[in-house]
Amino acid sequence: MGLFFGAMLAAIDLATVAFAQEHGHKPLAGLILGGYALGSAASGLWYGSRTWHASLRRRFTLTLGAAAAGTATFWAMPGLTVLAEVMLCSGLAVSPMLISAFSLIERQAPPNRQTEAMAWLTSAISVGTAVGSAAVGQIIDTTGARGGYASAAAFAAAAMLACLLGLGKLTVPPARPGREVRAVTIIAGREHSGDV
């Protein structure tokens, strides 16, 4: 899942720059991507401030599905203003999804291997970002920004498929009473913590 998610983020970044350039306003790409990050940061703060009764698996599946669904619409945007609005809304799913993913790993891994387990997910996202950047750069050069957004949608769908195929195999024990379980994600260089 991490590989595909990293590739999706890389595709979104590159395609947004290309889309803004195609519409004659390349400098606005940073503002649009900033809106995506702002939506993610705001939802991360909201998500972490709540006590959740839904299962961790359900929260992860729903937030990943929401991120994938939002990404699937980017290729159809008619202009920069609409794209910015849709990306702001789509970004709302990103931090809750990452917090849920890291929380699943925290519960799944043995106590003496939790750091290693979280490092594997972080590494998978980084590798996916690198490979996705190289692949999507070629696609954008050939087909333009919409091809890049279509690639992002394909990576998001692959991440969702990996989630559905693998989530049932996890054995996630409940949190021990009196023990607070926290997930930490690094987003835009800032730490956000959330109870799970």
Side-chain angles (χ1 to χ4, degrees):
M1 189 281 301
L3 286 170
F4 297 124
F5 184 75
M8 180 198 84
L9 292 178
I12 290 170
D13 286 351
L14 293 176
T16 301
V17 173
F19 191 81
Q21 184 173 9
E22 288 173 5
H23 286 76
H25 297 286
K26 186 176 180 180
L28 291 180
L31 184 64
I32 295 169
L33 291 170
Y36 189 63
L38 177 64
S40 176
S43 65
L45 292 172
W46 172 80
Y47 183 92
S49 69
R50 291 179 51 91
T51 300
W52 293 94
H53 300 292
S55 73
L56 195 50
R57 290 182 188 190
R58 181 176 177 82
R59 282 181 274 150
F60 175 66
T61 304
L62 290 175
T63 53
L64 178 58
T71 302
T73 66
F74 296 164
W75 70 272
M77 295 300 105
L80 293 172
T81 302
V82 178
L83 176 65
E85 293 169 352
V86 171
M87 286 190 76
L88 175 67
C89 293
S90 181
L92 294 172
V94 175
S95 279
M97 187 278 297
L98 287 171
I99 293 169
S100 298
F102 278 98
S103 297
L104 277 170
I105 289 172
E106 186 179 37
R107 296 266 187 96
Q108 177 77 19
N112 63 335
R113 301 193 69 182
Q114 287 182 352
T115 302
E116 177 189 350
M118 291 188 185
W120 276 110
L121 178 56
T122 304
S123 298
I125 292 171
S126 298
V127 170
T129 301
V131 173
S133 294
V136 174
Q138 295 293 323
I139 292 170
I140 290 173
D141 286 344
T142 304
T143 64
R146 294 191 191 281
Y149 283 135
S151 299
F155 290 133
M160 191 68 209
L161 180 61
C163 167
L164 295 175
L165 291 175
L167 202 58
K169 298 177 183 177
L170 293 178
T171 55
V172 183
R176 287 178 282 172
R179 178 174 174 256
E180 184 179 15
V181 181
R182 303 184 71 80
V184 177
T185 61
I186 307 300
I187 301 170
R190 299 181 67 188
E191 291 188 355
H192 301 279
S193 298
D195 295 345
V196 298

